[in-house]
Amino acid sequence: MAVAHAPALRSYTGRLAAGRVLAGAALLVAVATLPWLSGGDPARTVLRARSADQDPTPSQLAAVREQLGLDQGPWVHLAHWLGGLPRGDAGVSWVSGAPVMPQVGTALSVSLTLMLGALAVTVLVAGLVCARTVFLGSRRRLRQDRAGTTAAVLASLPKFLLASVLATVCGVWWGWFPSSGWEGPQSMVLPSLALGIPSGAMLGGILDQALPAAFHEPWARTAYAVGMPPGHIGRNGLRRTLPGVLPQLLPTVVALVGGAVAVEKIFNIPGLGRLALDAAVAQDLPVLQTATLALVLLGVAAGTAIRALRHALLGRPLRDNALPALHRPPLTVPPSLRWITTACALALLALVTAGLLRDPLQVDTAARLLSPALEHPLGTDALGRDLLARLGHGALRTAGVALAVTAVSAVIGLLLGMTPRASAGPTEVASTLPAVLAGLLIAGVTGPSVWGAASAVCAVGWSPYAAQTAALLEQERASGHVAASVALGAGRLHLLRRHLLPAVVPALLRNALLRLPTTVLVLASLGFLGLGEQPPTPEWGRLLSENQPYAELAPWTVLGPAAALVVLSVLAVTGSLLGRRNGERQVPGR
């Protein structure tokens, strides 16, 4: 058996390595051309980064071009940078003139330390979210489905807003932990909470929806009947379910390093994500290339470790195609689910209707940062604009673009995940690319626009869905009923329609809906950097970004958009659960 599997394993490993190399090379080439793609003058950008108050003269620009060799084009720079890497030389910063490798090494060590703290919080929160299901399932008392509202609320919390609240309350008011800087273990507590709580809620929500199927398997019924302790059944249920959720750790882990820019700025943490963003904005090419390479290597290492852990958890049944299929049992819908869904729908409808009756662009400097009152039910922003009006007028655009981006990313991820041998490497590399960097690359070609920002999010947003699809399909193909269907002459189309897609799509949909608020916030961050939706267009994520500096002085400026985002997330999750339960039917052959 092992001999038979050896050639296939070597072929898969070779394809995976080739995919990693090609995808990583393509990303590094795209980064290397960023200054020239932007359409502007790289010398002007670098000179302004060196001295923000300086108005460059033609002679100064010419001197910078000659100093940096910008007239030689991107390929000479890329070859020179690659040639120095084997010697540990990544060049010098175009802005500061300091060696690049020590900067990136220091930032990476800070980010890795922060990642470990945030990962611990992520695991803890995920465990708390699914603790009830594990407790009831291990005792054969799981009768009612979960609404998932707690996970949806926590997952939809904007990380930068949560970071601001924690820094203000726990850092400034109560003085429990440092609110700024990176001085020791205490400095990582608050940023770890800000990063780990939403990530843990999202992973916990996915795991919580998968656990009932594990506790419904014959082994669980037999273990309970022979008197196995609940702890043993619970651990084995987690072991059976975790392999399908573990691939979601890859984009989460990398996002805790490269995508934590806002949290790093709020807490003044010199991490790798902040360094990469500053280098991209300043077009500091040696720093940006080295930081991108560090993220790619981190993603490949994390992907390798997660894949090895998955195979260790699944064990021999995966190799022998004897893995039982997970089939979710019929559970009753919580009585509160319909009420929660109806309440969220009515709240959003009332918000949008009331906001559409007001002018979202009227500026009244005499009414700046007014607290909620009858005239302005949600208060006003820093320009005196009515927040209710801006929320109402931005609802359709926010939800429409976010849903479109989420749907496109999920479909791309589903299609690529169905060819894991070809897509495994690109998936790992794409998960390392922060959406902000993708936005800078795409904006350099198309210019800043809402659709350019949407394309940037789609360019990196498909990787979680591809990883999830590949993992679930691998388990489903190793199940006994699929092997029996193949033995009976079932074709690929039959297997896809009757077995594979029904095993993947429900979990993929749940994942997409839990990630919907994150999509809104990523689009907002691109708009805030001038790469997406431009002011004064009202959009929920932009309202959060614009008003975040006033969160302590006027908290109502961010509470309204944050609450609307939470309601939208809860409505999406509970509505999908209702739709699934109403249309649920037994899948033939499963």
Side-chain angles (χ1 to χ4, degrees):
M1 183 68 69
V3 175
H5 280 292
L9 180 60
R10 286 196 297 267
S11 174
Y12 178 77
T13 304
R15 288 172 181 254
L16 179 58
R20 288 169 173 168
V21 171
L22 291 176
L27 176 57
L28 289 175
V29 168
V31 170
T33 60
L34 178 60
W36 290 267
L37 283 175
S38 62
D41 187 352
R44 183 181 298 274
T45 304
V46 171
L47 192 56
R48 284 181 175 173
R50 291 177 177 178
S51 178
D53 298 330
Q54 188 180 52
D55 188 13
T57 63
S59 60
Q60 291 172 328
L61 293 175
V64 171
R65 292 191 192 97
E66 182 178 358
Q67 176 192 2
L68 302 180
L70 294 175
D71 294 334
Q72 298 176 4
W75 310 118
V76 174
H77 284 277
L78 180 60
H80 179 72
W81 176 75
L82 289 173
L85 287 180
R87 304 189 305 270
D89 180 16
V92 298
S93 168
W94 285 1
V95 175
S96 66
V100 170
M101 197 64 78
Q103 296 182 56
V104 175
T106 302
L108 179 60
S109 65
V110 171
S111 291
L112 288 177
T113 305
L114 178 60
M115 180 198 75
L116 293 177
L119 195 58
V121 176
T122 298
V123 173
L124 176 62
V125 173
L128 292 175
V129 168
C130 61
R132 176 184 175 274
T133 302
V134 173
F135 180 84
L136 295 178
S138 61
R139 289 162 174 80
R140 305 293 297 169
R141 290 159 50 188
L142 193 60
R143 302 287 184 270
Q144 193 175 83
D145 211 340
R146 293 287 299 277
T149 53
T150 302
V153 169
L154 293 177
S156 64
L157 290 176
K159 293 181 180 178
F160 65 84
L161 180 58
L162 185 57
S164 297
V165 172
L166 291 173
T168 301
V169 176
C170 300
V172 177
W173 292 357
W174 296 344
W176 289 353
F177 303 100
S179 60
S180 180
W182 189 259
E183 300 175 355
Q186 285 188 326
S187 300
M188 64 185 292
V189 174
L190 296 182
S192 296
L193 290 173
L195 291 169
I197 289 175
S199 300
M202 183 181 61
L203 292 175
I206 298 173
L207 182 60
D208 188 63
Q209 287 297 307
L211 279 169
F215 290 126
H216 187 62
E217 287 188 316
W219 70 263
R221 295 195 294 269
T222 303
Y224 179 80
V226 299
M228 287 287 185
H232 175 83
I233 300 175
R235 286 192 300 272
N236 279 277
L238 285 171
R239 180 175 179 174
R240 181 69 179 90
T241 312
L242 275 175
V245 181
L246 276 177
Q248 299 305 301
L249 270 179
L250 176 59
T252 301
V253 166
V254 178
L256 295 177
V257 177
V261 180
V263 175
E264 289 178 354
K265 285 193 171 185
I266 290 172
F267 289 103
N268 194 25
I269 297 174
L272 189 62
R274 183 178 177 184
L275 179 66
L277 176 61
D278 292 343
V281 173
Q283 296 188 359
D284 191 353
L285 196 55
V287 176
L288 179 60
Q289 287 176 319
T290 310
T292 303
L293 178 61
L295 288 173
V296 169
L297 294 177
L298 175 64
V300 170
T304 302
I306 289 172
R307 184 174 292 104
L309 180 58
R310 282 190 64 251
H311 287 184
L313 288 173
L314 290 174
R316 188 167 181 174
L318 178 65
R319 299 189 298 270
D320 295 344
N321 291 334
L323 198 66
L326 287 173
H327 180 55
R328 188 177 175 85
L331 300 174
T332 60
V333 177
S336 60
L337 186 62
R338 298 183 187 276
W339 292 102
I340 293 174
T341 306
T342 303
C344 290
L346 291 177
L348 278 180
L349 181 61
L351 175 72
V352 173
T353 303
L356 290 175
L357 300 177
R358 297 167 176 262
D359 185 1
L361 303 179
Q362 182 181 355
V363 175
D364 184 2
T365 55
R368 297 176 64 250
L369 300 177
L370 290 181
S371 59
L374 185 61
E375 184 178 359
H376 302 287
L378 296 182
T380 60
D381 63 8
L383 296 178
R385 296 174 296 191
D386 186 84
L387 285 173
L388 178 60
R390 295 184 64 74
L391 254 71
H393 283 265
L396 184 59
R397 179 178 292 268
T398 299
V401 175
L403 284 171
V405 168
T406 301
V408 171
S409 300
V411 171
I412 294 175
L414 176 64
L415 295 177
L416 291 178
M418 294 174 67
T419 56
R421 293 189 177 184
S423 65
T427 299
E428 292 178 359
V429 173
S431 66
T432 67
L433 182 63
V436 172
L437 182 54
L440 288 170
L441 292 172
I442 291 178
V445 179
T446 65
S449 66
V450 62
W451 297 114
S455 300
V457 179
C458 290
V460 298
W462 58 268
S463 59
Y465 308 114
Q468 184 182 29
T469 299
L472 294 177
L473 284 181
E474 183 183 33
Q475 295 177 212
E476 188 69 11
R477 287 183 175 127
S479 62
H481 73 271
V482 170
S485 297
V486 172
L488 292 173
R492 292 185 177 182
L493 183 60
H494 176 86
L495 294 176
L496 184 67
R497 185 167 59 91
R498 296 284 184 172
H499 299 292
L500 302 182
L501 287 181
V504 172
V505 172
L508 196 72
L509 178 62
R510 177 78 179 186
N511 189 3
L513 292 174
L514 280 172
R515 292 182 181 273
L516 183 62
T518 304
T519 302
V520 173
L521 296 174
V522 173
L523 289 169
S525 66
L526 293 176
F528 194 66
L529 293 173
L531 304 174
E533 191 73 84
Q534 300 299 301
T537 305
E539 193 268 335
W540 289 1
R542 169 167 283 278
L543 294 183
L544 284 168
S545 300
E546 290 177 340
N547 294 314
Q548 186 268 331
Y550 309 101
E552 183 177 357
L553 176 64
W556 55 87
T557 58
V558 294
L559 287 179
L565 196 61
V566 168
V567 172
L568 176 64
S569 176
V570 173
L571 177 62
V573 171
T574 58
S576 68
L577 184 57
L578 268 181
R580 185 187 70 192
R581 298 301 300 167
N582 290 337
E584 194 175 59
R585 60 180 181 274
Q586 183 73 25
V587 181
R590 287 180 62 80

